[in-house]
Amino acid sequence: MPLALYCAERGLSVVVIEKNASWGRGQNRAAIGGIRATHSDPAKIRICQESIRIVSGLEAERGIDVEWRAGGYLFVAYDERRESAFRDLLAIQKEAGLGIDWIGPERVAELCPGIRKDGLRGGTFSPGDGYASPLMTSTAFHRLARAAGAEFRFGETVVAMKAEGGRVVSVRTDAGEYAAGAVVNAAGSDAAELGGLLDLDLPVHPDCHEAGVTEPCERFMEPMLVDIRPDEESGNYYFYQTTTGQVVFCITPKPQIWGKDTDATSSFLPLVSRRMTELYPRLKNLKVRRTWRGMYPMTPDGLPIVGYPREYSNLLLAVGMCGQGFMLGPGLGKILASAIVDGPGVAPQLFEELSLYRKFEGMELLK
Ligand SMILES: Cc1cc2nc3c(=O)[nH]c(=O)nc-3n(C[C@H](O)[C@H](O)[C@H](O)COP(=O)(O)OP(=O)(O)OC[C@H]3O[C@@H](n4cnc5c(N)ncnc54)[C@H](O)[C@@H]3O)c2cc1C
């Protein structure tokens, strides 16, 4: 949606082909709404700084409320290992221009009253990060993109692409065929299948994650709280209180669950509620309203794949957003619209760091 908006605003003729019946119904609707520039990778930091500028300005600049709140992100540490990992990252993060610092246990408890203090060493806090409603944000971008002239073909599935002389010349759907000067694969967890239509091997694999939301209550905590400690059955978990008072939460299952089954499980809620109430006992008073399951379009190193494949000079890949597509989308959309109009030279480092041809070694620490 943001890419469609910025391409239309740059004067391009834009068609968005979406197999669902409306916007924001892919994995965007599974996202819980976190938007942070706090990452360990410089490319992601830069993209998300742009996203924060865009989303935090939507109300003042475009008159659209998306329930943005700069509540900050707080990564808590209860052991020496986590503390030193967070402290080590501060150097890269500060160099990239992030407003982030280490805060002690007292400040953590002020931001999150009632958090378990036993063993708490502190954490890194980035007050410029925040959260917004994914449904309201995708609706805002859809509205703005339409007003800027983008056309939307909902309920149409891309089934084939035709290439000639190293360029994609047309895209066929189950309802028609579209010629195009530039084509973008932004198919989320279906990105590999779409790449397969052109014999491209894109390492994007759907990785299932569940989330839930409680009833609303009076606001009592500001930041998105992230605990990256793993236990036997899970990896990190994170939660925040929305501007309207509900607590939304998520956990990384262990082992990871690959595939496209999006039926909610009966194991998620007992697991996540145990971990959340251990960290934040007062949460035990809240009733959970609903849980759901969606997919991270995962890459082997936890970073997106952005750029042009060697075989097709006009096929832009914007895939593999992992667990951060909502926060990457607005900034990346703006940068990629400039790249389409002015050429990839507008962001050379970003295209290099997120290239399809990188080694995919390691794993982003704050994925
Ligand atoms: C539980 C959970 C919590 C999350 N929380 C956050 C969060 O707090 N912050 C965050 O930034 N991210 C979060 N994410 C991750 C985020 O949801 C994804 O990274 C993001 O939605 C991916 O965006 P996308 O645009 O690449 O894909 P999508 O939003 O899935 O959009 C891709 C679209 O392509 C369409 N499509 C695919 N194939 C075709 C075809 N052949 N023809 C036509 N249309 C097609 C799909 O229908 C879909 O609508 C979370 C994910 C989950 C599961």
Tab-separated table of all heavy atoms in Angstrom, residues 316-359:
chain	number	residue	atom	x	y	z
A	316	LEU	N	11.290	-5.694	-9.479
A	316	LEU	CA	11.772	-5.300	-8.148
A	316	LEU	C	11.241	-6.278	-7.106
A	316	LEU	O	10.034	-6.556	-7.061
A	316	LEU	CB	11.293	-3.872	-7.851
A	316	LEU	CG	11.750	-3.246	-6.549
A	316	LEU	CD1	13.267	-3.269	-6.405
A	316	LEU	CD2	11.254	-1.798	-6.457
A	317	LEU	N	12.130	-6.785	-6.279
A	317	LEU	CA	11.725	-7.683	-5.196
A	317	LEU	C	11.601	-6.877	-3.905
A	317	LEU	O	12.532	-6.154	-3.539
A	317	LEU	CB	12.768	-8.784	-4.998
A	317	LEU	CG	13.112	-9.630	-6.227
A	317	LEU	CD1	14.281	-10.566	-5.921
A	317	LEU	CD2	11.888	-10.429	-6.682
A	318	ALA	N	10.470	-6.984	-3.272
A	318	ALA	CA	10.284	-6.357	-1.951
A	318	ALA	C	9.650	-7.438	-1.085
A	318	ALA	O	8.455	-7.399	-0.781
A	318	ALA	CB	9.398	-5.124	-2.064
A	319	VAL	N	10.464	-8.426	-0.730
A	319	VAL	CA	9.922	-9.647	-0.122
A	319	VAL	C	10.727	-10.022	1.137
A	319	VAL	O	11.758	-9.423	1.437
A	319	VAL	CB	9.965	-10.816	-1.141
A	319	VAL	CG1	9.150	-10.502	-2.376
A	319	VAL	CG2	11.405	-11.164	-1.551
A	320	GLY	N	10.215	-11.027	1.841
A	320	GLY	CA	10.953	-11.551	3.002
A	320	GLY	C	11.004	-10.555	4.154
A	320	GLY	O	12.040	-10.380	4.792
A	321	MET	N	9.853	-9.948	4.451
A	321	MET	CA	9.824	-8.905	5.492
A	321	MET	C	9.894	-9.489	6.908
A	321	MET	O	9.892	-8.754	7.893
A	321	MET	CB	8.560	-8.045	5.370
A	321	MET	CG	8.441	-7.310	4.039
A	321	MET	SD	9.783	-6.122	3.816
A	321	MET	CE	10.102	-6.330	2.077
A	322	CYS	N	9.893	-10.817	7.009
A	322	CYS	CA	10.002	-11.494	8.307
A	322	CYS	C	8.963	-10.957	9.298
A	322	CYS	O	7.832	-10.712	8.901
A	322	CYS	CB	11.429	-11.376	8.835
A	322	CYS	SG	12.644	-12.010	7.666
A	323	GLY	N	9.364	-10.733	10.534
A	323	GLY	CA	8.388	-10.271	11.527
A	323	GLY	C	8.252	-8.767	11.571
A	323	GLY	O	7.761	-8.209	12.550
A	324	GLN	N	8.671	-8.081	10.474
A	324	GLN	CA	8.708	-6.617	10.544
A	324	GLN	C	8.154	-5.893	9.322
A	324	GLN	O	8.488	-4.739	9.080
A	324	GLN	CB	10.135	-6.178	10.806
A	324	GLN	CG	10.539	-6.455	12.236
A	324	GLN	CD	11.776	-7.283	12.344
A	324	GLN	OE1	12.562	-7.370	11.413
A	324	GLN	NE2	11.955	-7.909	13.475
A	325	GLY	N	7.291	-6.577	8.582
A	325	GLY	CA	6.780	-5.967	7.349
A	325	GLY	C	5.920	-4.744	7.576
A	325	GLY	O	5.884	-3.828	6.745
A	326	PHE	N	5.216	-4.709	8.713
A	326	PHE	CA	4.372	-3.538	8.987
A	326	PHE	C	5.248	-2.311	9.228
A	326	PHE	O	5.000	-1.230	8.697
A	326	PHE	CB	3.472	-3.834	10.192
A	326	PHE	CG	2.665	-2.659	10.652
A	326	PHE	CD1	1.765	-2.040	9.804
A	326	PHE	CD2	2.804	-2.165	11.951
A	326	PHE	CE1	1.019	-0.937	10.229
A	326	PHE	CE2	2.072	-1.074	12.382
A	326	PHE	CZ	1.178	-0.456	11.521
A	327	MET	N	6.331	-2.508	9.984
A	327	MET	CA	7.180	-1.342	10.291
A	327	MET	C	8.109	-0.989	9.126
A	327	MET	O	8.488	0.158	8.964
A	327	MET	CB	7.985	-1.586	11.576
A	327	MET	CG	8.950	-2.723	11.527
A	327	MET	SD	9.798	-2.981	13.121
A	327	MET	CE	8.638	-3.936	14.065
A	328	LEU	N	8.446	-1.977	8.290
A	328	LEU	CA	9.336	-1.676	7.162
A	328	LEU	C	8.561	-1.045	6.004
A	328	LEU	O	9.124	-0.257	5.222
A	328	LEU	CB	10.004	-2.959	6.655
A	328	LEU	CG	11.063	-3.580	7.562
A	328	LEU	CD1	11.302	-5.048	7.183
A	328	LEU	CD2	12.375	-2.806	7.463
A	329	GLY	N	7.292	-1.394	5.867
A	329	GLY	CA	6.514	-1.034	4.677
A	329	GLY	C	6.531	0.439	4.288
A	329	GLY	O	6.881	0.774	3.148
A	330	PRO	N	6.173	1.359	5.185
A	330	PRO	CA	6.088	2.764	4.763
A	330	PRO	C	7.433	3.330	4.296
A	330	PRO	O	7.524	3.930	3.222
A	330	PRO	CB	5.581	3.479	6.021
A	330	PRO	CG	4.855	2.413	6.785
A	330	PRO	CD	5.618	1.156	6.542
A	331	GLY	N	8.489	3.108	5.076
A	331	GLY	CA	9.808	3.645	4.701
A	331	GLY	C	10.318	2.999	3.425
A	331	GLY	O	10.802	3.669	2.511
A	332	LEU	N	10.164	1.672	3.358
A	332	LEU	CA	10.644	0.959	2.175
A	332	LEU	C	9.847	1.386	0.944
A	332	LEU	O	10.404	1.569	-0.141
A	332	LEU	CB	10.512	-0.549	2.411
A	332	LEU	CG	11.261	-1.452	1.452
A	332	LEU	CD1	12.742	-1.116	1.398
A	332	LEU	CD2	11.086	-2.916	1.856
A	333	GLY	N	8.537	1.549	1.120
A	333	GLY	CA	7.701	1.987	-0.007
A	333	GLY	C	8.187	3.303	-0.570
A	333	GLY	O	8.285	3.492	-1.789
A	334	LYS	N	8.534	4.222	0.322
A	334	LYS	CA	8.995	5.536	-0.141
A	334	LYS	C	10.349	5.420	-0.853
A	334	LYS	O	10.562	5.991	-1.925
A	334	LYS	CB	9.105	6.485	1.059
A	334	LYS	CG	9.331	7.893	0.617
A	334	LYS	CD	9.009	8.875	1.711
A	334	LYS	CE	9.071	10.273	1.139
A	334	LYS	NZ	9.011	11.282	2.182
A	335	ILE	N	11.266	4.657	-0.255
A	335	ILE	CA	12.599	4.506	-0.847
A	335	ILE	C	12.505	3.796	-2.208
A	335	ILE	O	13.128	4.196	-3.191
A	335	ILE	CB	13.536	3.729	0.117
A	335	ILE	CG1	13.756	4.535	1.398
A	335	ILE	CG2	14.869	3.397	-0.544
A	335	ILE	CD1	14.365	3.757	2.556
A	336	LEU	N	11.658	2.747	-2.267
A	336	LEU	CA	11.578	1.980	-3.521
A	336	LEU	C	10.879	2.758	-4.631
A	336	LEU	O	11.207	2.600	-5.808
A	336	LEU	CB	10.889	0.636	-3.286
A	336	LEU	CG	11.684	-0.346	-2.413
A	336	LEU	CD1	10.994	-1.697	-2.343
A	336	LEU	CD2	13.116	-0.511	-2.926
A	337	ALA	N	9.934	3.603	-4.275
A	337	ALA	CA	9.301	4.441	-5.307
A	337	ALA	C	10.372	5.342	-5.930
A	337	ALA	O	10.420	5.509	-7.156
A	337	ALA	CB	8.168	5.265	-4.708
A	338	SER	N	11.259	5.902	-5.102
A	338	SER	CA	12.345	6.730	-5.637
A	338	SER	C	13.275	5.881	-6.489
A	338	SER	O	13.750	6.331	-7.523
A	338	SER	CB	13.205	7.334	-4.528
A	338	SER	OG	12.427	8.081	-3.690
A	339	ALA	N	13.532	4.637	-6.056
A	339	ALA	CA	14.438	3.776	-6.831
A	339	ALA	C	13.837	3.455	-8.201
A	339	ALA	O	14.551	3.410	-9.195
A	339	ALA	CB	14.729	2.497	-6.059
A	340	ILE	N	12.515	3.250	-8.241
A	340	ILE	CA	11.877	2.932	-9.534
A	340	ILE	C	11.957	4.151	-10.459
A	340	ILE	O	12.281	4.044	-11.635
A	340	ILE	CB	10.405	2.492	-9.319
A	340	ILE	CG1	10.364	1.148	-8.588
A	340	ILE	CG2	9.662	2.394	-10.659
A	340	ILE	CD1	8.970	0.710	-8.139
A	341	VAL	N	11.703	5.327	-9.894
A	341	VAL	CA	11.681	6.537	-10.731
A	341	VAL	C	13.109	7.023	-11.052
A	341	VAL	O	13.417	7.343	-12.195
A	341	VAL	CB	10.873	7.657	-10.020
A	341	VAL	CG1	10.920	8.960	-10.821
A	341	VAL	CG2	9.431	7.223	-9.827
A	342	ASP	N	13.969	7.066	-10.045
A	342	ASP	CA	15.293	7.692	-10.230
A	342	ASP	C	16.426	6.671	-10.408
A	342	ASP	O	17.569	7.063	-10.619
A	342	ASP	CB	15.642	8.573	-9.011
A	342	ASP	CG	14.534	9.587	-8.730
A	342	ASP	OD1	14.013	10.158	-9.704
A	342	ASP	OD2	14.185	9.778	-7.554
A	343	GLY	N	16.123	5.392	-10.224
A	343	GLY	CA	17.153	4.356	-10.365
A	343	GLY	C	17.671	3.912	-9.007
A	343	GLY	O	17.618	4.686	-8.036
A	344	PRO	N	18.186	2.656	-8.928
A	344	PRO	CA	18.613	2.090	-7.639
A	344	PRO	C	19.754	2.855	-6.991
A	344	PRO	O	20.045	2.659	-5.807
A	344	PRO	CB	19.044	0.662	-7.986
A	344	PRO	CG	18.888	0.488	-9.451
A	344	PRO	CD	18.302	1.720	-10.054
A	345	GLY	N	20.403	3.764	-7.756
A	345	GLY	CA	21.474	4.580	-7.199
A	345	GLY	C	21.014	5.443	-6.024
A	345	GLY	O	21.845	5.944	-5.270
A	346	VAL	N	19.679	5.585	-5.797
A	346	VAL	CA	19.212	6.411	-4.671
A	346	VAL	C	19.521	5.753	-3.320
A	346	VAL	O	19.608	6.439	-2.308
A	346	VAL	CB	17.687	6.722	-4.736
A	346	VAL	CG1	17.347	7.596	-5.925
A	346	VAL	CG2	16.862	5.455	-4.727
A	347	ALA	N	19.658	4.425	-3.323
A	347	ALA	CA	19.936	3.736	-2.047
A	347	ALA	C	20.890	2.574	-2.288
A	347	ALA	O	20.545	1.419	-2.036
A	347	ALA	CB	18.628	3.247	-1.439
A	348	PRO	N	22.107	2.848	-2.752
A	348	PRO	CA	22.997	1.757	-3.154
A	348	PRO	C	23.329	0.788	-2.022
A	348	PRO	O	23.335	-0.428	-2.204
A	348	PRO	CB	24.262	2.486	-3.637
A	348	PRO	CG	24.174	3.865	-3.113
A	348	PRO	CD	22.737	4.160	-2.869
A	349	GLN	N	23.560	1.351	-0.844
A	349	GLN	CA	23.958	0.504	0.283
A	349	GLN	C	22.839	-0.452	0.679
A	349	GLN	O	23.061	-1.625	0.957
A	349	GLN	CB	24.295	1.405	1.456
A	349	GLN	CG	25.441	0.885	2.273
A	349	GLN	CD	25.636	1.775	3.493
A	349	GLN	OE1	25.196	2.936	3.520
A	349	GLN	NE2	26.272	1.237	4.497
A	350	LEU	N	21.619	0.093	0.647
A	350	LEU	CA	20.462	-0.716	1.027
A	350	LEU	C	20.288	-1.885	0.060
A	350	LEU	O	20.085	-3.029	0.456
A	350	LEU	CB	19.238	0.197	1.007
A	350	LEU	CG	17.918	-0.341	1.488
A	350	LEU	CD1	17.149	0.783	2.154
A	350	LEU	CD2	17.101	-0.904	0.357
A	351	PHE	N	20.398	-1.610	-1.243
A	351	PHE	CA	20.264	-2.679	-2.232
A	351	PHE	C	21.372	-3.718	-2.060
A	351	PHE	O	21.151	-4.898	-2.271
A	351	PHE	CB	20.280	-2.110	-3.652
A	351	PHE	CG	18.944	-1.534	-4.055
A	351	PHE	CD1	18.663	-0.188	-3.909
A	351	PHE	CD2	17.949	-2.364	-4.565
A	351	PHE	CE1	17.424	0.326	-4.258
A	351	PHE	CE2	16.703	-1.858	-4.922
A	351	PHE	CZ	16.441	-0.505	-4.768
A	352	GLU	N	22.542	-3.260	-1.666
A	352	GLU	CA	23.637	-4.210	-1.488
A	352	GLU	C	23.416	-5.075	-0.238
A	352	GLU	O	23.515	-6.292	-0.280
A	352	GLU	CB	24.942	-3.426	-1.364
A	352	GLU	CG	26.156	-4.294	-1.634
A	352	GLU	CD	27.420	-3.513	-1.353
A	352	GLU	OE1	27.532	-2.371	-1.841
A	352	GLU	OE2	28.274	-4.058	-0.632
A	353	GLU	N	23.062	-4.414	0.862
A	353	GLU	CA	22.896	-5.161	2.123
A	353	GLU	C	21.739	-6.157	2.058
A	353	GLU	O	21.783	-7.203	2.685
A	353	GLU	CB	22.638	-4.185	3.280
A	353	GLU	CG	23.880	-3.472	3.762
A	353	GLU	CD	23.537	-2.423	4.833
A	353	GLU	OE1	22.682	-2.689	5.680
A	353	GLU	OE2	24.115	-1.337	4.783
A	354	LEU	N	20.676	-5.789	1.310
A	354	LEU	CA	19.482	-6.642	1.291
A	354	LEU	C	19.367	-7.434	-0.017
A	354	LEU	O	18.293	-7.915	-0.376
A	354	LEU	CB	18.230	-5.783	1.526
A	354	LEU	CG	18.252	-4.952	2.823
A	354	LEU	CD1	16.974	-4.152	2.978
A	354	LEU	CD2	18.448	-5.848	4.054
A	355	SER	N	20.490	-7.571	-0.714
A	355	SER	CA	20.491	-8.231	-2.020
A	355	SER	C	20.102	-9.709	-1.926
A	355	SER	O	20.438	-10.401	-0.961
A	355	SER	CB	21.901	-8.102	-2.607
A	355	SER	OG	22.097	-9.067	-3.594
A	356	LEU	N	19.465	-10.176	-2.986
A	356	LEU	CA	19.154	-11.611	-3.122
A	356	LEU	C	20.432	-12.441	-3.170
A	356	LEU	O	20.417	-13.634	-2.898
A	356	LEU	CB	18.332	-11.804	-4.421
A	356	LEU	CG	18.016	-13.224	-4.885
A	356	LEU	CD1	17.179	-13.976	-3.844
A	356	LEU	CD2	17.252	-13.197	-6.213
A	357	TYR	N	21.545	-11.805	-3.512
A	357	TYR	CA	22.800	-12.547	-3.718
A	357	TYR	C	23.749	-12.463	-2.519
A	357	TYR	O	24.907	-12.850	-2.620
A	357	TYR	CB	23.469	-12.057	-5.005
A	357	TYR	CG	22.485	-12.157	-6.154
A	357	TYR	CD1	21.880	-11.020	-6.682
A	357	TYR	CD2	22.090	-13.406	-6.618
A	357	TYR	CE1	20.922	-11.133	-7.683
A	357	TYR	CE2	21.128	-13.531	-7.611
A	357	TYR	CZ	20.550	-12.385	-8.144
A	357	TYR	OH	19.596	-12.511	-9.109
A	358	ARG	N	23.260	-11.976	-1.383
A	358	ARG	CA	24.105	-11.983	-0.175
A	358	ARG	C	24.236	-13.432	0.312
A	358	ARG	O	23.542	-14.331	-0.170
A	358	ARG	CB	23.495	-11.089	0.903
A	358	ARG	CG	22.164	-11.579	1.444
A	358	ARG	CD	21.649	-10.645	2.523
A	358	ARG	NE	20.432	-11.120	3.169
A	358	ARG	CZ	19.203	-10.745	2.828
A	358	ARG	NH1	18.996	-9.918	1.826
A	358	ARG	NH2	18.152	-11.207	3.486
A	359	LYS	N	25.071	-13.612	1.339
A	359	LYS	CA	25.367	-14.999	1.755
A	359	LYS	C	24.319	-15.597	2.695
A	359	LYS	O	24.310	-16.784	2.954
A	359	LYS	CB	26.737	-15.035	2.421
A	359	LYS	CG	27.851	-14.824	1.392
A	359	LYS	CD	29.188	-15.235	1.967
A	359	LYS	CE	30.277	-15.166	0.931
A	359	LYS	NZ	31.416	-14.369	1.388
